[in-house]
Amino acid sequence: MTLLIRVGAFAACFTLASAWAKAPAPAPAFGIQFSCSPAQLQQVRTDMPRYLKDMGIGARWVTTTIDKQRGTAIYSLKGAASPSGTLFLRWRPELKIEDAVIAIPVSEQATEPVVTVSRKEIVLALLHPGRLTRFTGRACTVQALTDHVGVRQNTVMWAEVLGWRWPNGGSAEWNPRFWDRGTPLPNVPVYAALNDLFFQQSKYAIGCYTATKMVYAQAVLDYYRRVKADPVTTQLVLDRLLLDKEPLVDIEPGRMWSFEADFDSEELIRPGKLLRMREHVAANNFVPGDWVYFLNTDAHSYQKTGYEGSNAIYLGRNRFDDYYNDFVHHYSYKEKLGEVYQWRNGVFSRRRDYAKRERLSPADFDRLSATPEQGGLLMGYRVVPYYFGFEPLPALPGAPAPAQTGGG
């Protein structure tokens, strides 16, 4: 079966937000929330300070709000007003954030060091005003948070150094030794087919929608298979990827695309194989490992294949991925926002079309950072990984709900 390419999401690549509203409760409406049984809550209260200390996050930076009646513990970052964003956390001197250096596989036998986002920055972004990240039920444990941060870091790591080819409206190209137009060949292990996408990038020409799905499929499977070495959860991920024998199809939930004019309403209830949506995220709130989307709101340039919008993964450090190494492997927030906006001016090549660019002021960037409903370009959701092994996953079409084992 040929890999399905979503036309409305096949583009140069990015996202955002709608306004964040505080919940009418005394506890902060942002940060990391554990909703637990009394025994779980007590364990979280023991484990969380230790985890934050291991991350290099001082207790004086974090507000802890315990509600025994509701069975909740919320951890939130001090000293950050709600309108401020996470893009420049890395450079707040008092937080003392340093990048991580991780050995990334570059072949079946070799690795090379890559500079990537630190787990500390990921945790601080989760603690920051702008969204509430909840861990409930079996996921009400610091180990679930640890894995979630690990998957996010692994996602960023695989997205750091990319150089696939842009098909520019033509057909996608795949290495025929591993893939048949987006479907792994029979008897080729999924992990081997995914690895080849990253080991031999010059053999692939793909749009950014497909590229984004490839990164998440690789990162989630690789985290549980190689990094954590958890065979039970690895099989859980594989079962979801291979249910329809199309591991790059339906990675994300269907309702992510409900804004498209030709959207099939039946897709509203289709869950993602690997990812869920987090809605009502504040403007400029990005956590490393988020899938974000910029919508091209210009009716004319929207019709050009590949320029309907832009998918991106947030890498931390005010960076969004660059799948095609057009911009030294990453774009800043303003560069990505400006790129999508300038399509309406016929700027499809920075060098060839430079004279057509419209100068944007700080006020313009503030305006464009709103949701499309508010006159901006950024969708008000983020798409993020499930807590594999720690929560009941939604059943996929054509299959019963999978058994939930593994993880902690």
Side-chain angles (χ1 to χ4, degrees):
M1 177 179 177
T2 300
L3 175 68
L4 299 177
I5 302 296
R6 177 177 297 278
V7 172
F10 173 72
C13 314
F14 201 106
T15 173
L16 168 191
S18 54
W20 164 65
K22 282 188 177 180
F30 63 87
I32 298 170
Q33 175 180 287
F34 296 92
S35 297
C36 305
S37 69
Q40 286 177 308
L41 187 64
Q42 183 57 46
Q43 191 64 52
V44 165
R45 294 180 66 182
T46 298
D47 294 345
M48 192 63 175
R50 187 179 305 135
Y51 177 74
L52 293 175
K53 183 179 179 180
D54 288 345
M55 292 294 102
I57 298 173
R60 67 187 183 281
W61 302 344
V62 178
T63 296
T64 304
T65 305
I66 306 296
D67 188 330
K68 292 184 178 179
Q69 185 174 1
R70 295 183 180 182
T72 61
I74 299 179
Y75 298 84
S76 53
L77 185 64
K78 293 179 181 177
S82 60
S84 67
T86 60
L87 292 168
F88 299 100
L89 270 177
R90 169 66 176 80
W91 295 282
R92 283 180 55 179
E94 75 277 15
L95 298 180
K96 300 178 181 178
I97 298 173
E98 296 182 357
D99 295 341
V101 179
I102 298 178
I104 184 172
V106 293
S107 72
E108 293 297 342
Q109 294 81 29
T111 62
E112 290 182 359
V114 62
V115 178
T116 193
V117 72
S118 65
R119 290 179 295 159
K120 180 177 183 177
E121 182 176 346
I122 296 170
V123 175
L124 287 168
L126 288 169
L127 294 170
H128 196 278
R131 75 173 82 181
L132 186 65
T133 299
R134 298 179 176 88
F135 294 85
T136 64
R138 290 190 58 234
C140 190
T141 166
V142 173
Q143 184 58 53
L145 170 62
T146 300
D147 276 8
H148 184 63
V149 171
V151 169
R152 283 181 173 274
Q153 185 184 50
N154 210 46
T155 301
V156 173
M157 183 196 74
W158 282 108
E160 287 282 4
V161 185
L162 297 176
W164 291 310
R165 290 180 290 120
W166 169 244
N168 198 27
S171 298
E173 298 177 24
W174 302 80
N175 185 351
R177 290 187 55 201
F178 291 85
W179 297 88
D180 176 13
R181 295 176 297 170
T183 302
L185 295 179
N187 303 318
V188 173
V190 173
Y191 77 86
L194 289 170
N195 278 345
D196 191 70
L197 287 163
F198 294 83
F199 295 167
Q200 300 195 75
Q201 295 175 29
S202 64
K203 294 183 180 293
Y204 296 86
I206 47 174
C208 75
Y209 173 55
T210 302
T212 305
K213 295 190 295 180
M214 292 185 333
V215 172
Y216 281 101
Q218 171 75 347
V220 174
L221 180 59
D222 178 69
Y223 176 79
Y224 293 106
R225 179 178 177 273
R226 180 185 61 86
V227 179
K228 193 180 180 186
D230 177 348
V232 176
T233 309
T234 296
Q235 190 60 51
L236 176 62
V237 174
L238 281 170
D239 288 346
R240 291 183 73 84
L241 285 174
L242 291 174
L243 175 66
D244 55 2
K245 299 185 175 19
E246 297 288 348
L248 297 182
V249 172
D250 295 342
I251 296 291
E252 80 287 10
R255 66 193 180 99
M256 180 177 177
W257 311 109
S258 60
F259 60 86
E260 293 182 334
D262 60 350
F263 180 73
D264 181 353
S265 60
E266 292 186 2
E267 282 283 282
L268 281 171
I269 61 173
R270 179 186 61 73
K273 290 177 178 176
L274 302 183
L275 307 173
R276 61 156 63 89
M277 285 176 64
R278 293 298 192 200
E279 299 185 83
H280 310 299
V281 177
N284 298 333
N285 180 280
F286 304 98
V287 176
D290 281 349
W291 179 348
V292 297
Y293 190 69
F294 287 103
L295 177 64
N296 181 6
T297 57
D298 174 62
H300 178 70
S301 57
Y302 181 91
Q303 302 303 318
K304 183 176 173 64
T305 300
Y307 295 90
E308 302 86 357
S310 184
N311 296 277
I313 297 170
Y314 182 54
L315 307 181
R317 302 154 290 163
N318 189 25
R319 294 182 176 188
F320 294 83
D321 57 49
D322 175 6
Y323 297 117
Y324 312 105
N325 195 20
D326 289 331
F327 230 53
V328 198
H329 293 302
H330 66 267
Y331 292 82
S332 73
Y333 174 70
K334 285 187 175 181
E335 286 166 348
K336 282 301 297 181
L337 190 63
E339 177 189 43
V340 175
Y341 178 81
Q342 297 294 351
W343 293 341
R344 69 194 58 205
N345 297 318
V347 181
F348 303 112
S349 167
R350 287 190 305 276
R351 289 182 292 274
R352 185 183 66 243
D353 303 322
Y354 184 82
K356 301 178 184 178
R357 292 177 64 88
E358 175 184 343
R359 185 178 180 84
L360 296 175
S361 68
D364 290 325
F365 283 110
D366 287 344
R367 173 176 55 84
L368 296 174
S369 292
T371 61
E373 295 84 358
Q374 298 170 327
L377 303 181
L378 296 170
M379 304 305 294
Y381 55 71
R382 308 288 184 271
V383 182
V384 305
Y386 293 123
Y387 307 142
F388 282 97
F390 290 97
E391 64 176 334
L393 301 177
L396 298 170
Q404 300 302 307
T405 56

